Amino acid sequence: MTTVAPSASARRVGPRSIISVASSTADTRSYAPAKPPPAKPVTLAKRILFPALPPDADLPPLLLSPAAAPQLNAELYDFIALALRAYVNTWWTKITRYDKEFLPEITRILTAVIRTLETRLLATDLSPLIFRDFPTVLAQHWIDYRNARAKLHTSYAAGGAASLPQLFHQLQPHMAVSADGVIDQVYVRQAVDHILKVCLPPEDYEPEAERYIVREIILKVLVGGVLPRLTQPWFIHKLILDQLGPEKPPSTVADQTTPFGRPVIQRRSSGHVSFQALAILILSAVQSVSGVCLALLHAYKQARDTIKKVNQRKGPHGTDEPSLNATPSLPGTLNVPQKAPAAPSGSLPRVPSSESTSFVHSSSRTSTSSNVPEISPSPSPHPAPPPPPPIPDYAHPPLALLLTILTPPPSSAPAASSSSPEHASFATARALSHLLTLAASLASPFLARLLPYLLYTHVLSPATLANTVRSANRALFPEGWPAPPPVDPTPEEQAEMRETLRRRLAERVPGAVALLLGPTPAARLATVDAALAPLDDAACNAHLAVFILDLILLTVFPELGVKDEV
């Protein structure tokens, strides 16, 4: 019998030590290939606007300001990419599908335009536009609409034949709007062409093909989509309803039953007050008082911090300027007056004007009591400082607009007797408006700093602008492509939308202020209805839209304005 010797592989191997296991695992990990980092997703903007960029490279910044948020750059790039793919790439690929440089070239031109606009917007203070010009134009729109409506079916309306848009056009004539409310494309095209001429370098402005394409894209979006939609009354009502938020459902009384269908046992209150109820009442009162005190303390701290930031703020955009009295590079910059430096002791007093000088001379001739010799003023070694600029008035135009909106015209105002409660209510509202105007006049120097601070901190902040561009992307390009034109609501739906807006606005007015709109719910609804009436005609709203467009263009591009030659 032969015995087969066990092979070496079949030999029993003893247990491996911990050191050997660890070393073998380490050797395996050291030789394992490292996982590559996950590749960045190629966005639509990178694929269309910058096809030559490496996949891992970031997009170049569109806005050069250090305060611009990266989200704002990304949203602007997405908007440009979606617009070019929708309005340019669809017909350019039919001409040639192999050219990949046309869209990047348009992007380069749009980048130059956007950066020039950014520079101008940073150099221009928008506070006069927001707090002075816009309220003035809106108040005039309300006044002219009510005057035109009062002339309907009278001898002032060409014997009753003129319509409301025609009467309104006579009060607010504009070369860019017809009497029927049609906006002239030639006017907007010339304005856009001037913007391109200012923003583009000469070598980019000279090629007509590229300039015309960019101009027509902007014109198509502005005149073909944005302005006609914004002038529709139902669209304005929808925007206001969206800002008010969803309506809360009316509260309903729940069934007083248990989940098993049995009625809930209710305890009858006894005639005497128990100790438990008294303790609950005291604790609830203490909790309410402490909550009010905490709210007042928080409001005081926030107001103190805000006042400190407003007083430390020197520029309209939060940048430190050398002097608030410095002459701005563009008109419209906020200049809050400071105390003029005292004149040096050796300098002569200010030379009076010609009118005051003639008055002094005439009085000296007629006077017989004294003969004072005239002293000819010698030139001063130190010239007199220029007078400080006037304090900008940012409180009165919004208050005047609010008073105009909430004051119904005489035809729709509630009734007429001076002793009626309606007349007393409107008299109280006017008295309150005058008190607010007086308080705003006293606080005008501080409001000249506070309102611009709130504007640039909360309204024109980078986060707010990024959310606005994102909302515009979703509204104009849902699912990446232009949305089909929405079906306009029927007249019945528009009337229902307006009635809902009127009711919700009347409900949102606080109780203490609601009495100023009228003593009864019907009077308050009539006041709100009269406030919404000037937005009920699309042709009249077209005039308002063009005037607002002119204000924006003249603020950013003051050279577009016509100067009066003397």
Side-chain angles (χ1 to χ4, degrees), residues 172-499:
Q172 290 191 4
H174 196 287
M175 61 182 302
V177 189
S178 64
D180 299 332
V182 179
I183 299 176
D184 188 8
Q185 293 188 2
V186 178
Y187 181 86
V188 184
R189 183 181 287 112
Q190 293 299 322
V192 174
D193 192 79
H194 179 82
I195 293 174
L196 294 178
K197 184 178 181 180
V198 173
C199 296
L200 291 178
E203 60 273 10
D204 291 333
Y205 181 78
E206 290 178 358
E208 294 183 353
E210 297 177 359
R211 185 173 82 247
Y212 288 171
I213 289 174
V214 174
R215 185 186 67 187
E216 294 303 319
I217 290 174
I218 299 175
L219 186 68
K220 177 68 175 179
V221 174
L222 189 62
V223 181
V226 176
L227 290 180
R229 186 64 61 184
L230 287 178
T231 55
Q232 294 296 324
W234 65 266
F235 189 78
I236 299 176
H237 298 161
K238 183 177 181 300
L239 289 179
I240 301 177
L241 286 175
D242 293 341
Q243 294 299 321
L244 293 178
E247 186 176 6
K248 296 180 180 180
S251 59
T252 58
V253 180
D255 296 334
Q256 301 293 330
T257 56
T258 61
F260 301 100
R262 299 177 181 178
V264 178
I265 301 176
Q266 298 181 355
R267 297 182 179 179
R268 296 180 179 179
S269 58
S270 57
H272 63 280
V273 179
S274 62
F275 176 77
Q276 182 180 3
L278 184 60
I280 293 175
L281 180 62
I282 294 175
L283 293 177
S284 300
V286 171
Q287 183 180 5
S288 301
V289 171
S290 61
V292 171
C293 293
L294 289 176
L296 292 176
L297 182 61
H298 177 71
Y300 168 74
K301 290 182 178 180
Q302 190 171 5
R304 184 189 60 184
D305 296 340
T306 302
I307 293 174
K308 183 184 297 184
K309 292 178 181 178
V310 168
N311 291 330
Q312 293 175 355
R313 184 183 179 87
K314 296 182 180 181
H317 301 277
T319 57
D320 293 337
E321 296 178 356
S323 176
L324 289 174
N325 292 329
T327 303
S329 57
L330 291 175
T333 305
L334 172 64
N335 288 325
V336 181
Q338 292 179 340
K339 294 183 179 180
S345 58
S347 62
L348 295 176
R350 183 177 62 88
V351 180
S353 61
S354 58
E355 297 180 1
S356 60
T357 306
S358 61
F359 177 76
V360 171
H361 290 342
S362 61
S363 62
S364 62
R365 295 191 192 100
T366 56
S367 175
T368 56
S369 60
S370 62
N371 294 323
V372 181
E374 296 183 5
I375 302 176
S376 60
S378 60
S380 173
H382 302 283
I391 298 177
D393 187 7
Y394 293 155
H396 288 87
L399 287 177
L401 172 62
L402 183 62
L403 181 61
T404 303
I405 292 177
L406 297 182
T407 303
S411 58
S412 62
S417 172
S418 60
S419 60
S420 62
E422 291 86 353
H423 181 83
S425 175
F426 286 107
T428 306
R430 293 188 184 93
L432 180 61
S433 66
H434 292 310
L435 289 177
L436 292 177
T437 304
L438 179 61
S441 301
L442 296 176
S444 183
F446 178 71
L447 292 177
R449 289 177 174 270
L450 175 64
L451 294 178
Y453 169 79
L454 297 178
L455 174 66
Y456 284 100
T457 304
H458 299 284
V459 181
L460 298 181
S461 62
T464 306
L465 294 178
N467 293 332
T468 304
V469 178
R470 187 181 302 111
S471 301
N473 286 339
R474 294 174 181 175
L476 296 176
F477 305 101
E479 300 181 0
W481 292 96
V487 180
D488 292 347
T490 61
E492 292 78 11
E493 294 174 347
Q494 296 180 18
E496 183 181 358
M497 189 182 303
R498 190 185 186 284
E499 181 63 26

Side-chain angles (χ1 to χ4, degrees), residues 2-80:
T2 59
T3 330
V4 180
S7 60
S9 59
R11 293 178 183 175
R12 183 178 179 183
V13 181
R16 302 173 68 182
S17 63
I18 299 177
I19 300 177
S20 62
V21 172
S23 60
S24 62
T25 306
D27 295 341
T28 305
R29 290 181 180 178
S30 63
Y31 287 105
K35 293 183 179 181
K40 295 182 179 180
V42 180
T43 60
L44 177 66
K46 183 181 294 186
R47 188 173 70 252
I48 293 182
L49 307 182
F50 302 96
L53 279 181
D56 296 338
D58 296 330
L59 294 176
L62 181 61
L63 302 177
L64 298 180
S65 174
Q71 296 83 2
L72 182 58
N73 285 314
E75 295 296 336
L76 287 175
Y77 270 131
D78 289 342
F79 182 81
I80 295 174

